[in-house]
Amino acid sequence: MNTPSSLIPADDAARLHALERYQLLDARSEKVLDEIVAATARLFGVSNAMLSIVEKDEVLVKAPYNLPVAIERIPRAQSLCSATICRMARPYSKIYPKPARWTLTFPCCSN
C-alpha cells in the first residue's frame, strides 16, 4: 500500500536520514524503551501505549505496552503518524541531533 503524497512532507528524506542515526529501525524490543512507555502509560493513567517510529513505508511499533493485539509494523498509509509528521515544519536534523550518549531528558523541566 502506497502512502498518499499528501501525507509525505517535502523534507521526508531528511527526516528518514536523521532517524537512521539513532539505529532504532530493527524490530527487536529494547528494555529501556519498553520501561519508558510503561511508566508513561502509568503516569497518564492509560491502559495501553506505544512508541512508534515512522519509516519510509511502514510504522514500526518499537515499544508496545498492553496493546490488545500484537503489532510489529503497520503500513504508513494506515497510520495517524504521517499526519503528525506533516504538521512539523522544522528541519529534523536540527531538532534531533544525534546525542553523544543516550540520556533521558525532559525539556519541560530543564533550566
Side-chain angles (χ1 to χ4, degrees):
M1 176 179 286
N2 292 335
T3 305
S5 60
S6 62
L7 291 178
I8 299 176
D11 62 347
D12 202 48
R15 182 191 66 81
L16 291 168
H17 180 71
L19 184 59
E20 286 176 9
R21 295 186 315 206
Y22 287 96
Q23 300 176 358
L24 293 171
L25 300 179
D26 60 37
R28 292 177 309 191
S29 175
E30 297 191 30
K31 187 173 171 63
V32 67
L33 296 178
D34 292 341
E35 290 172 355
I36 290 169
V37 172
T40 303
R42 288 190 300 275
L43 176 69
F44 287 98
V46 296
S47 59
N48 51 41
M50 68 179 168
L51 176 118
S52 59
I53 299 173
V54 180
E55 299 175 303
K56 184 174 188 258
D57 296 313
E58 297 180 311
V59 175
L60 169 63
V61 179
K62 187 67 176 177
Y65 172 74
N66 201 30
L67 297 182
V69 294
I71 301 172
E72 185 176 298
R73 294 180 185 274
I74 57 174
R76 183 174 176 178
Q78 295 178 4
S79 168
L80 293 175
C81 298
S82 287
T84 302
I85 289 171
C86 286
R87 295 188 65 176
M88 296 182 72
R90 297 175 287 182
Y92 299 95
S93 60
K94 293 181 182 172
I95 298 172
Y96 308 110
K98 184 176 180 181
R101 62 186 179 93
W102 292 103
T103 57
L104 179 61
T105 59
F106 297 94
C108 63
C109 306
S110 300
N111 291 333

